[in-house]
Amino acid sequence: MNHSVVSVRNLKKVYGKKGEKQYEALKNISFEVEEGEFVGIMGPSGSGKTTLLNMLSALDSPTQGEVTIAGNNITGLNEQQLSDFRATNIGFIFQDFNLLENLTMSQNIGLPLSLQGVSSRKIDKKIKTIAEILDITQILSNYPTEVSGGQKQRVAAARALVHQPQLLLGDEPTGALDSKNAKNLLEALRGLNRDYQTTILMVTHDPMSASYCKRILFIQDGMIFKELRREGSQQEFYQNILANLSHVDFSESQV
Amino acid sequence: MTWKLALINVKKRWQDYLVLMMGLIISVSIFYMFQTLSLNVKFLEEVIPTISMVAFIFQLGAVLLGIITVVYIFYANSFLLSMRKKEYGMYMMLGAKKKKIKQMMTIETLFIGFLSMVVGIMLGVVFSTIMSQVLLNQLRVSSNQYNAFSFSAVVVTFIFFLILFVLTAITNASKFSKTKLLDLLHEDQQSEKHRPNKLKTISLTIVSVILIMIGYFSLWHVKELALAGLVIALFTITFGTFLFFAALLPAVISAFKNNEKFSRKGIRIFTLSQLSFKSSSLSKVLGMVTMLLALSLGAITVGDAFNNYKEALIKQAPYDAVIFNPDEAVSKEMAKLEGKEERLYHIKQNNEEFYFLYDELREQPITMNNQTGFTLKAKPFTEFNEGDSFSTNNGTEFSIMSAFGQIMNPYTSYLNAPVYHVVSQSEFDQAQGESGVIHVLMVDDFEGQLDIFERIDTLEMARFDLEDAETSNSKFALYSMISMMVSGFMFMGAFLGIAFLAMLASSLMFKILSGAYQDIGRYDMLRKIGVGKKKLLASIYKEILVVFAVPGILGTIHVLFGLKMFELLMPEPYSHIWLPFVIFAAIYLLYYFITVKLYQNIVLKSEKNQ
Ligand SMILES: Nc1ncnc2c1ncn2[C@@H]1O[C@H](COP(=O)(O)OP(=O)(O)O)[C@@H](O)[C@H]1O
Ligand SMILES: [Mg+2]
């Protein structure tokens, strides 16, 4: 019995104040993400992907429409409520890791739990669990400068997941990784999705990364113009994505 | 092209440059002011005829200021370099030659220097004008000898800072030559080693504590150790302070950070993480700030202490006016004095022999000061018999001799070997010599009736044919002399204090603000993982508070020990410290809030539009 974790209805976002120069970054977007899904969002630069992600994570409020995450309508919450909502329901992976360089990996991972006032003993337990899942146990006492980019990103994923959020969001999480490290991270994400039914929504430029998803939404000019579901093997899906990309003027010049 | 690029750079980050230049400008203007003062020789001679010491004090102050300024300028300019490294790296990636960039850097440094000099000198002229007015007022003299604009002071200031800026430009350029392109590009990612060598940390910490202790010890025993004590203290405390921030502070913060019971409370781990960042990247600045703070607070406190010492010095003169056979004009002025007590002593003078009436001295004993160290104890002089004679030749104590001296006519020339006879009425009548009456006046409020005393002084000077340049021994003359000296000290203390404070504030603010750009990402990340603005703000307040408080506290302790050395110059350097301390704390706190506000504007401004 699947129920939706993300439900977006008629979402519209206009930047700029009334009377000034306005820009409509999102135009009437609607979609659902069900529990345990692994969804990719693709689109050319400036198409509104980051804007969409910001709406989903309540970092910014939509001009129109509704966003419901895990049954909570987040459009009507105040700033404090939104912060608390993010802290408990959402995990974030950033393109450039955003680890605190002078904290050890385990201190970095434990950060969201400290924020929620979880006891020190429980924090240790949870860090241990997530570290085993993401295979980073042996670098827990290292500092970010001492490990590879792929490992850093897996630690960032651990930090995003340690408090067991309803939804894991990633804005080009593989953007700063070489292909080997990117694959490494994506495998880990796929494992999480498969074994723990973690709901993942990630923005990506890269067809290879996208091929790890089960479903892909293509955005252009603030609108969803195509949806692709993986039916066969990953290789087939990859070819399918490439074919779709060549249909539109997808400039990959910018990374 | 190089010129244009250099100027665009300055324009682009004018806020950073402004903070940096504030310190430069203030140090230029205060340096100029000291130069004007010590170069306005005529003015000094007029205002301070007898005490060439004050002129010397100002020269000394100028030298001290000069040394600190040299250190500060070099420091400030190395900030400039580190602030710009990444950009320079980018220009080089785009094909700019190292030589061109070095030219650009030099232009920038000299441009900033030139601008600071011009603004600083203008500000200095304004300061000097205001200060001379206040100073003259305080000294109760009118002078038209003082020029706030002194051409030679401008030249000296200009040359001094020009040399400094050229030297720093050269240093920066050579430092730049030695840096590799890759290091330039990754300037802000150069994270410090997060695994400090434990042995090194511990040994440095121990050395730092020992050095500071030695310094404090030698200040505490400065009376026995004398000059050696001061030199030892200067070196040990300076090095100890820098080591403290290089080793001890980061170690303590990292200990807190790694204590999970303590750090895993809300956002605390992040605050500590930020602090440990700051404590290592700011360690040199914090050391410098501590020393500047100690100098600044010390200068202000000592200046103020001298001011309070004035009261004590003035008390040494027990009588407010001593007048020999007053004429009509003086009597009129005397009558105007309020709350006065007047004593009369009949006297007969034969050259340096003076006859006093036994009964009069019994009835109105003269005041004797017993000196122990700096403190004087006034007590009535009663241990005498009829027929006693007092003179240095028959072994009379100095305090008794000066007790008699206090009631001698202050407007006559110095007595070589006075003899004071205490005699009966009949002997007095028989004694040879000119007879007269001494009027001794004591008022409740001396400082409130200074104008009357000044008029009396002028009248008496004229009556006894004293030239302007000669000074009498009157209390009014003593008072003016002391207040000149004290004002000199106080003003110097205040201005040195302000100069150091300005340098301190600009070093600290600049370093914190220039680091803020690297912190934006961290605050953004926290916001995204669900930390509310209130918590972020609280973290900022705490983080910067520690950065301000630790040097503040250490610097204050330095001052408390440092004041000990002024026991060589005055009785109780500690007696009035609260006022300068409170004022200083208020200013320091203000800097803290401004810094927090500016920092917050940088790191939290991306809040809405992202
Ligand atoms: N804060 C903002 N103010 C105004 N315009 C914005 C803002 N953020 C994004 N935009 C505009 O909205 C469009 C979509 O941006 P974004 O969502 O970042 O695109 P993507 O992440 O797909 O590259 C772009 O044209 C961008 O210029
Ligand atoms: Mg984007």
Side-chain angles (χ1 to χ4, degrees), chain B residues 176-458:
Chain B
F176 179 76
S177 300
K178 284 185 208 135
T179 327
K180 289 198 192 81
L181 175 58
L182 214 63
D183 293 335
L184 287 176
L185 284 171
H186 297 295
E187 173 67 11
D188 49 358
Q189 286 158 27
Q190 268 177 18
S191 35
E192 297 78 29
K193 283 196 190 73
H194 299 299
R195 283 187 193 287
N197 184 334
K198 268 217 177 90
L199 195 69
K200 202 173 136 198
T201 308
I202 291 174
S203 48
L204 282 184
T205 301
I206 292 173
V207 172
S208 128
V209 172
I210 289 177
L211 281 178
I212 293 180
M213 288 301 146
I214 291 176
Y216 285 170
F217 181 85
S218 34
L219 281 177
W220 206 248
H221 296 274
V222 73
K223 275 187 184 156
E224 297 99 85
L225 296 169
L227 195 64
L230 295 186
V231 175
I232 291 172
L234 182 70
F235 282 99
T236 52
I237 290 183
T238 308
F239 283 112
T241 304
F242 278 94
L243 284 181
F244 175 90
F245 287 105
L248 185 57
L249 184 66
V252 169
I253 290 173
S254 129
F256 274 117
K257 196 177 72 185
N258 292 329
N259 177 342
E260 275 154 7
K261 280 243 167 54
F262 177 82
S263 63
R264 276 178 177 168
K265 292 249 159 60
I267 199 175
R268 209 178 264 173
I269 180 96
F270 173 71
T271 311
L272 287 166
S273 148
Q274 283 292 90
L275 264 177
S276 88
F277 246 123
K278 293 215 155 69
S279 71
S280 50
S281 72
L282 294 183
S283 78
K284 276 188 220 137
V285 184
L286 293 182
M288 170 127 172
V289 164
T290 307
M291 296 316 288
L292 283 174
L293 187 135
L295 284 174
S296 171
L297 180 57
I300 292 174
T301 309
V302 168
D304 187 64
F306 270 108
N307 195 28
N308 289 311
Y309 182 33
K310 181 163 93 178
E311 320 276 295
L313 274 176
I314 288 163
K315 279 204 194 102
Q316 281 187 25
Y319 312 123
D320 296 320
V322 175
I323 293 149
F324 188 70
N325 289 342
D327 62 9
E328 209 172 306
V330 174
S331 300
K332 243 189 209 160
E333 292 296 336
M334 283 162 64
K336 288 184 195 158
L337 288 169
E338 279 165 20
K340 64 167 178 277
E341 184 193 335
E342 188 171 357
R343 290 180 194 167
L344 301 181
Y345 296 98
H346 288 84
I347 188 175
K348 247 185 193 170
Q349 178 180 10
N350 184 7
N351 286 327
E352 298 214 333
E353 306 229 2
F354 300 88
Y355 296 89
F356 290 92
L357 284 168
Y358 175 80
D359 291 340
E360 269 180 13
L361 288 184
R362 269 284 163 232
E363 228 163 86
Q364 319 168 44
I366 56 175
T367 308
M368 182 168 99
N369 282 326
N370 260 358
Q371 183 148 14
T372 44
F374 281 104
T375 45
L376 290 171
K377 263 225 174 87
K379 64 169 197 188
F381 172 57
T382 51
E383 288 151 29
F384 59 88
N385 294 309
E386 202 175 288
D388 277 354
S389 286
F390 300 97
S391 75
T392 320
N393 287 341
N394 70 14
T396 306
E397 273 176 54
F398 175 75
S399 56
I400 297 172
M401 290 309 286
S402 59
F404 279 106
Q406 295 279 5
I407 58 170
M408 290 292 102
N409 182 358
Y411 300 94
T412 51
S413 48
Y414 180 73
L415 300 167
N416 279 316
V419 184
Y420 305 108
H421 304 283
V422 181
V423 296
S424 67
Q425 184 72 48
S426 56
E427 273 178 84
F428 186 85
D429 292 340
Q430 281 163 21
Q432 296 282 310
E434 200 186 328
S435 62
V437 182
I438 300 170
H439 293 242
V440 173
L441 292 170
M442 282 165 283
V443 296
D444 296 338
D445 180 13
F446 176 74
E447 289 187 282
Q449 307 185 77
L450 280 175
D451 344 358
I452 303 176
F453 285 109
E454 186 172 13
R455 280 199 295 276
I456 293 176
D457 200 53
T458 319

Side-chain angles (χ1 to χ4, degrees), chain A residues 54 59 79 83 86-87 94 98 100-103 107 111 114-115 120 123-124 141 143 145-146 159, chain B residues 191 194-195 257-258 264 266-267 269-270 273 276-277 521-522 525-533 610:
Chain A
N54 286 348
L59 281 168
E79 203 181 294
S83 285
R86 272 203 298 281
F94 307 91
N98 258 324
L100 298 174
E101 281 133 76
N102 50 4
L103 296 186
Q107 285 169 334
L111 189 62
S114 305
L115 289 174
S120 188
I123 291 180
D124 279 331
S141 55
Y143 286 92
T145 45
E146 299 167 336
R159 180 181 61 191
Chain B
S191 35
H194 299 299
R195 283 187 193 287
K257 196 177 72 185
N258 292 329
R264 276 178 177 168
I267 199 175
I269 180 96
F270 173 71
S273 148
S276 88
F277 246 123
R522 302 197 190 107
M525 181 272 285
L526 282 187
R527 200 170 56 90
K528 284 185 179 160
I529 68 173
V531 185
K533 196 175 172 184
Q610 236 222 331

